[in-house]
Structure formats: structure tokens, C-alpha cells
Amino acid sequence: MSEAIAYERVGEIAVLKAQNPPVNALGIDVRKGLLAGIERAESEGARAILIYGDGRTYFSGADIREFGKPPQDPYLPDLCSRIEASPLIVVSSMHGTALGGGLEVALSSHYRIAVPAAKMGLPEVNLGILPGAGGTQRLPRLAGSEAALEMITTGRHIGAAEALDKRIIDRIEAGEPREIGLAYAQELLDAGAPRRAVGEMPAPGMVDFDAAHKAALKKGRGQLSPAAAVRAVQAAAEAEDFGAGLKRERELFQELMASPQRQGLVHAFFSERAVGKLPELAGIAPREVASMGVIGGGTMGAGIATAALLAGLPVVLIEMTDAGVAAARGRIEGNLKGALMRGKITQTQYGQLTGEALTVATDYAALGQVDLVVEAVFEDMGVKREVFGKLDSHCKPGVVLATNTSYLDVDDIAAATSRPGDVIGLHFFSPAHVMKLLEIVVAAQTTPEVLATGFALGKRLKKVAVRSGICDGFIGNRIMNTYRKAAEYVVLDGASPYQVDKVVTDFGFPMGPFAMGDLAGLDINWAARKRRAPTRDPRERVPRFYEMLCEGGDFGQKTGKGFYIYEDGKRGGVPNPQVAELIAEDQEQQGITPRAFSDAEVLRRYMCAMVNEAAKVVGEGIARRPLDVDMVMLFGFGFPRFWGGPLKWADLQGLEGILADIHSYAAEDGFFWQPAPLLDKLVSEGRSFEILNQSA
Ligand code: 3HC
Ligand code: NAI
């Protein structure tokens, strides 16, 4: 018998136990084992079959590592049909997460029981595919078209109670999956219950599938799988029989399986899990963190404190004045009220989090017992060094001292203490209690234990933590500054900011760079430009229209006007006509004759600038692996997940073409478009970024 599926006979019941840790994915051995188990049960004269999973879960889906490789027999859809066709009574007993192909095996069984904590769902669209083993045909037959559409197009996991309510399972029972499954199967046999195949049930009802398709396309912002899944469910309602529906599902599944979006989304799935695995952390235990200090309660400090409180960490926050204390408390309470309104916390929890769990003070002595401190004061080296000096004298030994600086050198900050090994950068993104990205910046003397503590904190706060070395802007802001510059250059040369924003949102970003500037406040970037101006390389092209807008007092959303005009109560803005005048003036002063750019060229320049800078970041060792950059862009900058990240996108487009385009742009502006040495090297060796991910 197969090692992946154990076979056991309990009276008239054949028991098939999946043992393929960690999540009982339905790889080839599991599929072979299931088929062999069904055949053996039938040939041995069993009357029922029980399927369940050993360890932490029932099957959590197809084995994603097999995607893109030649499929191996038995295929999952055929296996599901075979299970359903068995003359014996087949029962699935679910615990843990019955997902994707896993739930499809359960739907092919004749009866389903689950423990109360079991979760189930068809999350395939999040991997760029759709349920391909009958899920789009069987689920609507049980739950109805509308409920099936909602579950399949969102990939949402539902609990056992909701599954029972939707008729997806027949019973909920507390206990071990083997025991509750055996009892249920015996009860069915004793009652003479019939074999009950979902595929033989009547087709589900009609709904407005075209409207659902349109809505899925719009919500997907360029992601195709949810919309394709609508068409598959439609086939369940419209096809002439169950077999024809399965065939349609298969066609749509195969189209998606062959798509670059599937590759992008699977890359995102595995990278999200790989990003926190660092060789230098193997066997290193993080320090215990039972409470946290935060210095500065402005936008970031308040957000960081909120995130810590929501993760169950008591917080001591230090501000400069009593007014600062009150303002910081107000911000944190505002954030937590939002969590309360969205049902994330209860009124009692709100009271506890804003009460005993939160101390806001002006005296650093209050930090005496905290285990980790995050500094989020003004972005000024003098102020930061002074704060770290004070932390050094007030914090107990062994405390991790972190800075949330966006651009400053963490080594210089660490040098203000007598314990630089304890100093690290923890770069949160705004709003810090919402955004998933956390860059963990390693300074020259940061110890592995402190780094491990940073990653452990990231996990506790439910962030995607990415290791970064030190450079101007670390991984994310450095790359963002470069592609934003590329956007400004195309505008200086003739494209409009609105064309750029549209091209970028059509690609799948939630916002373009100019709308983003308006949201963040144009004055912030203006200040950074002024700071950099004295050391700017004379070869750098400098668009002026951005500063001209700021000089007029227009800073974006906060002043009601920037690249767009924001009317009270209206979502989004309308183009500010003054911007075109400023651009024309800038062009005239710089002697530029504007030209038209196609949307494709705008996008290509934007993306080439992003990829080129990302390759520099990897080549210089600031990011360890291409996937680290990809995760930063996905979780901090709204890069569309279905492309996997800029370097996955680059691999999918072909590195040679990207390098050739960079060379052609360099003919106009050789300073900005200097090809990344790593990109040159990969192209000359015929390699991809993916190979670097695998070899790291
Ligand atoms: N295939 C292969 N490996 C898988 C896997 C799968 N379906 N699901 C999880 N893994 C791996 C992870 O990569 C990870 O490996 P690592 O330890 O080497 O990093 C390990 O299993 C544990 O996974 P997590 O760290 O994610 O563990 P959690 O406990 O946090 O989460 C989970 C468990 C909820 C099952 C989560 O892993 C998950 O969501 N998995 C994907 C589920 C899914 O999408 N299933 C549908 C697959 S597509 C399909 O079935 C097609 C069919 O319709 C034909
Ligand atoms: P902010 O101006 O909103 O808040 C700074 C707070 O620090 C103020 O409330 C101020 O009173 C307080 N403060 C100043 N000196 C202090 C001291 N010596 N002791 C105690 N409190 C002091 O600034 P913001 O936006 O919160 O930024 C803070 C830090 O986070 C900066 O280093 C910034 O670069 C970084 N950052 C900002 C992001 C953003 O989007 N705003 C994103 C990521 C990092």
C-alpha cells in the first residue's frame, strides 16, 4: 500500500488515512494511494469508505509544486469522478483546512462530516487558476449558484457552521476525524443510507452570470482567474449535463494553468513563505518580547503602537510634551475605534487596550521594563541620535533598540549607543497597523539574535518581514524613487500625469505615482528633493513642475489640490488644469519639445526603471534574493500580486528585451538609464532572477 495513504479495515468500513505532511497536499503519491485504496475497498467487499487526514489537516489542496510540470496519472479530476462513482458509500471526515482539490475530494464523497473548527474553501483563484477537479460543478449543486460564485471568486475560507448552513457538509461533530467519521459511516450503513453523488444532483439555478463576470473583472483589477471561474460555474447551470460542465471547467482550468498570471501568483505564494527563511537565522532563538516601547506618537508611532496593542503587546509610548501625549493617545484611540467598528475587537477589548495595556508618558523612565523599543520621531539624524542616547541610559540590558527611519543610516544611529549590536531598523509602512510590509534593516553590528527578534516580532504583528541592507531608502523607497523619476521624465517629455496614472492602474496598481504623491503629501517629497539638491549629480535631469506645484502651496489631498483637485465628499480627484500649464512652462524653460508617448511605452519605461533599480538592489546585496524585492513591492507598494513582483514580471517578459530597452533609453539619458550590472550578467549568462531565488 502507498505510504501517503494508509489503508485499514474497521468492520465493513475501509479507512483511508492521508499521511503527507505538512498539509496533506494531493501530490502524485497521495492520488495513487487514494485510487488504490478505493479499488482495494471495493475488491475486498467493504460496504463503506472513510477518507480523512492524519496530522493537522484533511487535504489542503493539489500539490502546488506540481503546477507547470507534465501532469501525472491519476489526474485529480478523474480521481474525484472515480470516488464519486464508487458503489460503496464514501464519507469524508474533515478537520484543519479542506481547501481546493481537498474540498473537491470531499465534494466527490457521498457524505461529509467536519469538526467544529474545520475550515474549507476553494481558494484556487488566488493561485491564478480555478477549481479544476469538479469544484465549480459540484459546489453550486449543493450551495446554489450565488453562494458558489461568492466562494469561488473570492477564494474565501468558511467555517464548519457556515458550510453546514450552505449544505456543503452534512454534519458537525466534535472529536477526532477518524472516530467521528467511523461513527457516521456506521450510522449510515445501519440506516441503509443510499450512495449520494453530488454530480447526479440537479443543475443549479440561473443567476445573472454576465453581471457576475463583469463584477469579477472589475474587482480583479486585471486578474483574470475570478472572471474565468464565473464562466465555469455558469457551465454548471447551463451545460447539457454534468459531464459537459466538467469539460468546460477543464478547458478554462487549462487556459489559466498556462497563463503568466498563474506563474506570478504561485511565485507570490511560495515567496511569501520563503521571505522569512534566512540561513543565518537557522537555530538562532529570538529574544523574549513581552512588552514594547514606542518613541514618538505621530502618524507612524501611533500606527506602530496600534499594531502592537492589537497583537496583545502592552505599549509604553513616549512623547515630548503633555500636548504630544494627548495627541498620540487620540491617534491610537482613533485607530482602535476603527478596529472596533470593523468588528476586529470588542468594546471590552477596546477598553483594555486603551486602558491598562497603553501607557503614554513624557519621561523615558517609563521604559524601564520594556523588551523592545521602536523609535518613530522626526526624520532628523540629530534628533534620532539624541533619542538613542537616552534609550541607552534608560533601557535595561538586552533590549532591542529599533528605528523606523525611512532614509537615515542605521549605523550612524547605532553609534549613538554603547550597544550597537542591539540596534536594528524596523521600517513600517503607513498606516502601520494596516500595511503588511515590514523591512528589517540590518546594521553592521546587529547580532543574529536581534535580527531573529525582529522577524519574530514581524510574525507576531502578522507582517510580511523582509531583510534589507542599508542604502538610501532601503529596498522599497529606493526603488520607488527611481520609478517615480521615470514617471516624471516621461511627463517632462510629453506624456500627461493622468496618462501615466491610468497606465499604471490599468497594469494593476491601486494608484498611479501622481495620485499617490497627492495622497502622501507632495510637500514630503519636495522636502526630500530640496535636501538632495546640493549633492545632486550635475548629469541628472531635473523636472521642475513638481516643485512649481508645491511652491504654489498645492500639496495634494491635504490642501485639496495637487495633480488632482479634490472636492469635498467626492472619492478621488479630477485633473488640475493648472498642472498642464506648469509642465508646459517647465518644458519651455528646459528647451524640451514635447512628444506623444503610447501607453505601452509609458508602461515599459516605468517598469524597466523599476526592474533596473531592483536588480541593482539585489546585485549590491541590499536585498538577498530577487523574491525579497518582489515581496517588498507586493506588500508595501501595491504591485499587482498576479505578476508576482517586478523581478518575476521581468523573468516573464524576458530579461534580454528589458536590457535592450534600457540601452535604447540610455541613448537619450545615459545617466538615469545605467543598466544594472546584475541584469547585464544574467542576460549574458542566459539566466533568470528565478534561478537566483533557487540558488540563494
Ligand atoms: N501544495 C504544496 N505545498 C503546500 C501547499 C500545497 N497545496 N499548501 C501548503 N504547502 C506548503 C507550504 O509551502 C509550506 O511549505 P514550507 O514549510 O516549505 O514553507 C508548508 O506547506 C506549510 O504551509 P504554511 O506555512 O502555509 O502553513 P499554514 O499552517 O500557515 O497554512 C494552509 C496552511 C492554510 C493550508 C496554507 O498553506 C494554504 O493556504 N495552502 C494553499 C491552499 C490552496 O491554495 N489549495 C488549493 C491548491 S490548488 C488546487 O487544489 C487545484 C485543484 O482545484 C485542481
Ligand atoms: P510625525 O511628524 O507624524 O511624528 C513624529 C512624532 O515624534 C511627533 O509626534 C513628535 O512630537 C515626536 N517626537 C519628536 N521628537 C521626539 C522626541 N525626542 N521624543 C519623543 N517624541 C518625539 O512623523 P511620522 O510621519 O510619524 O514619521 C516618524 C518617523 O517614521 C520618521 O523617521 C519617518 O521618516 C518614518 N516613516 C514615516 C512614514 C510615513 O509614511 N509617514 C513611513 C515610514 C517611516
Side-chain angles (χ1 to χ4, degrees), residues 22-23 25 56 60-65 67 76 97 99-101 104 123-124 127 129-133 253 269-270 273 277:
V23 298
R56 62 199 234 207
S60 289
D63 189 332
I64 303 169
R65 289 165 305 185
F67 289 10
L76 193 56
T97 42
L99 300 175
E104 290 174 300
E124 284 89 341
L127 295 168
I129 53 170
L130 50 76
F253 176 85
F269 177 87
F270 285 118
R273 285 160 177 80
K277 289 184 186 143

Side-chain angles (χ1 to χ4, degrees), residues 18 83 86 116 118 134 223 245 280 285 295 450 480 536 571 659 692:
I83 292 170
S86 176
Q223 188 178 331
E280 71 259 43
I295 317 298
V450 168
M480 191 254 298
R536 196 179 278 145
R571 220 164 150 243
L659 183 63
L692 297 186

Side-chain angles (χ1 to χ4, degrees), residues 165-208:
D165 197 44
K166 291 190 152 75
R167 298 186 298 276
I168 297 166
I169 58 174
D170 303 291
R171 189 179 281 199
I172 299 176
E173 193 97 39
E176 291 301 317
R178 179 180 179 277
E179 312 321 319
I180 62 168
L182 274 173
Y184 187 37
Q186 193 58 53
E187 190 184 314
L188 289 165
L189 286 178
D190 293 347
R195 182 185 151 272
R196 196 191 53 175
V198 177
E200 292 163 18
M201 292 178 182
M206 293 292 290
V207 294
D208 188 344

Side-chain angles (χ1 to χ4, degrees), residues 636-661:
F637 295 84
F639 192 95
R641 189 178 170 97
F642 57 81
W643 280 116
L647 296 179
K648 181 66 191 177
W649 177 87
D651 273 353
L652 289 166
Q653 305 306 304
L655 301 189
E656 209 170 335
I658 290 175
L659 183 63
D661 284 350

Side-chain angles (χ1 to χ4, degrees), residues 445-673:
Q445 296 191 52
T446 307
T447 66
E449 206 184 76
V450 168
L451 179 59
T453 311
F455 272 93
L457 179 76
K459 198 165 186 186
R460 175 138 191 206
L461 301 186
K462 297 204 176 70
K463 303 287 181 200
V464 174
V466 184
R467 181 199 180 282
S468 171
I470 294 179
C471 66
D472 191 16
F474 311 122
I475 299 176
N477 283 343
R478 171 171 163 183
I479 296 171
M480 191 254 298
N481 280 330
T482 302
Y483 64 75
R484 192 170 53 194
K485 238 183 232 171
E488 287 176 27
Y489 289 150
V490 290
V491 168
L492 186 62
D493 291 332
S496 90
Y498 316 107
Q499 182 190 3
V500 175
D501 277 357
K502 177 156 188 327
V503 164
V504 168
T505 49
D506 284 351
F507 178 76
F509 278 93
M511 255 187 200
F514 296 101
M516 190 64 217
D518 273 3
L519 177 69
L522 301 176
D523 51 326
I524 293 183
N525 188 249
W526 188 29
R529 285 163 193 256
K530 282 192 274 195
R531 210 170 41 236
R532 290 198 189 104
T535 53
R536 196 179 278 145
D537 193 296
R539 289 170 298 171
E540 184 178 331
R541 292 182 79 199
V542 186
R544 280 267 305 129
F545 61 88
Y546 199 103
E547 274 97 337
M548 287 152 85
L549 193 56
C550 292
E551 281 156 10
D554 295 329
F555 298 153
Q557 291 199 14
K558 63 171 96 163
T559 57
K561 219 198 285 176
F563 286 96
Y564 297 82
I565 296 176
Y566 301 88
E567 282 172 41
D568 273 352
K570 284 215 178 133
R571 220 164 150 243
V574 294
N576 176 0
Q578 207 192 343
V579 169
E581 293 166 24
L582 297 178
I583 294 169
E585 200 181 318
D586 193 2
Q587 287 162 339
E588 201 182 307
Q589 283 171 7
Q590 302 208 33
I592 293 165
T593 311
R595 71 169 175 96
F597 284 81
S598 70
D599 287 354
E601 188 177 358
V602 168
L603 181 66
R604 190 72 178 172
R605 284 175 180 251
Y606 196 72
M607 293 304 298
C608 282
M610 195 183 303
V611 169
N612 199 37
E613 194 65 29
K616 289 179 188 172
V617 162
V618 176
E620 292 166 21
I622 301 296
R624 278 278 173 75
R625 303 156 294 189
L627 70 85
D628 292 324
V629 170
D630 285 345
M631 294 307 98
V632 164
M633 299 312 295
L634 242 58
F635 290 101
F637 295 84
F639 192 95
R641 189 178 170 97
F642 57 81
W643 280 116
L647 296 179
K648 181 66 191 177
W649 177 87
D651 273 353
L652 289 166
Q653 305 306 304
L655 301 189
E656 209 170 335
I658 290 175
L659 183 63
D661 284 350
I662 291 172
H663 278 298
S664 76
Y665 306 146
E668 299 159 16
D669 179 357
F671 180 71
F672 181 71
W673 292 104

Side-chain angles (χ1 to χ4, degrees), residues 298-300 319-320 364 376-377 379 384 404 406 427-428 430:
T299 311
M300 292 308 289
E319 257 293 345
M320 289 193 288
Y364 279 65
V377 302
E379 184 76 343
K384 301 236 189 236
N404 183 48
S406 306
H427 185 216
F428 290 81
S430 182

